[in-house]
Amino acid sequence: TLFNKGKYKKLIWYASSSGVNAIEVCFIITPGVNTHYKTKPEDYMSYMLMYKGKGSLIRTLKEMNLALNINVGVDESYEAFTLYKIKLLLSEYGVIHYKNVLSYVFAYIERIKRSNVSGDIYNDIKRIEDNAFNFNSKKEVHLQAVELSMGMFVYEHKDILYGKYMHSEYNESIIRNVM
């Protein structure tokens, strides 16, 4: 599962060359999510974590002056594993109270894990990705070429063009297993 409080716990400090105060929480998903590219269970988790409404992780952290922004998603993905990252831009107060930030992050993850997987949310994600695919023409041609070339190693040949956006197989158990 993605958010397992298992043997891989480690806190690593490093200084950012940009001077940005951020905290990154990384998780290993095994096997890699590329094997489920038609379901994209990682997108479901990202959608839930990026939610900005009442009761959301980022709204709570902003209200407590702990964080300013959140970004989540796959950092690297291979057949054997995927590295999934939650990155929070912290306030000065958040840097001092980073343990509280981490507590809120893990509590929110537990809340997501206890909730039901929703077909409606999955369909929302599908609509968003379908729109992204349909209006993708503004992307620079050389970036599209790189994306398609990389897709040749991940998707079935018939899915290379649409694979990155595809959400054609809603599968609650695959989504739940990644959680």
Side-chain angles (χ1 to χ4, degrees):
T1 63
L2 173 56
F3 302 113
N4 186 352
K5 294 182 181 178
K7 61 185 176 180
Y8 299 110
K9 287 192 270 185
K10 188 172 284 199
L11 181 62
I12 301 171
W13 289 95
Y14 65 91
S16 168
S17 61
S18 65
V20 172
N21 295 322
I23 192 165
E24 295 180 356
V25 183
C26 300
F27 301 91
I28 295 172
I29 304 171
T30 55
V33 296
N34 291 346
T35 58
H36 302 296
Y37 76 87
K38 292 179 181 179
T39 300
K40 295 205 179 38
E42 72 282 7
D43 285 359
Y44 188 91
M45 286 305 303
S46 295
Y47 185 89
M48 299 299 288
L49 287 164
M50 291 290 293
Y51 173 67
K52 291 182 166 88
K54 185 177 181 183
S56 68
L57 175 62
I58 192 58
R59 182 177 277 189
T60 301
L61 293 173
K62 281 182 175 182
E63 288 171 355
M64 300 184 76
N65 192 30
L66 292 168
L68 308 170
N69 199 4
I70 186 170
N71 195 6
V72 301
V74 171
D75 192 50
E76 298 285 337
S77 192
Y78 306 96
E79 190 173 324
F81 73 94
T82 294
L83 183 63
Y84 186 90
K85 186 185 292 186
I86 300 170
K87 183 176 182 176
L88 290 155
L89 180 61
L90 300 180
S91 65
E92 293 293 330
Y93 185 75
V95 172
I96 295 166
H97 299 282
Y98 75 91
K99 288 182 181 178
N100 290 356
V101 173
L102 290 172
S103 292
Y104 281 107
V105 168
F106 285 103
Y108 193 76
I109 289 168
E110 286 302 316
R111 193 168 102 191
I112 293 171
K113 287 169 69 171
R114 284 192 308 270
S115 67
N116 293 327
V117 175
S118 167
D120 289 339
I121 290 174
Y122 188 84
N123 288 330
D124 285 347
I125 297 166
K126 180 180 178 9
R127 277 190 290 278
I128 290 166
E129 292 300 317
D130 284 347
N131 285 334
F133 175 76
N134 290 327
F135 299 102
N136 193 21
S137 62
K138 294 183 181 182
K139 190 179 281 187
E140 294 182 38
V141 175
H142 74 280
L143 294 176
Q144 285 183 351
V146 169
E147 219 171 73
L148 293 173
S149 298
M150 291 172 61
M152 293 172 65
F153 296 100
V154 177
Y155 312 121
E156 294 174 33
H157 292 296
K158 65 182 175 60
D159 296 331
I160 291 172
L161 286 175
Y162 182 58
K164 177 182 175 184
Y165 306 92
M166 181 180 284
H167 288 79
S168 62
E169 293 179 3
Y170 172 70
N171 187 317
E172 184 177 340
S173 92
I174 289 173
I175 295 168
R176 178 72 51 205
N177 285 338
V178 167
M179 295 173 150

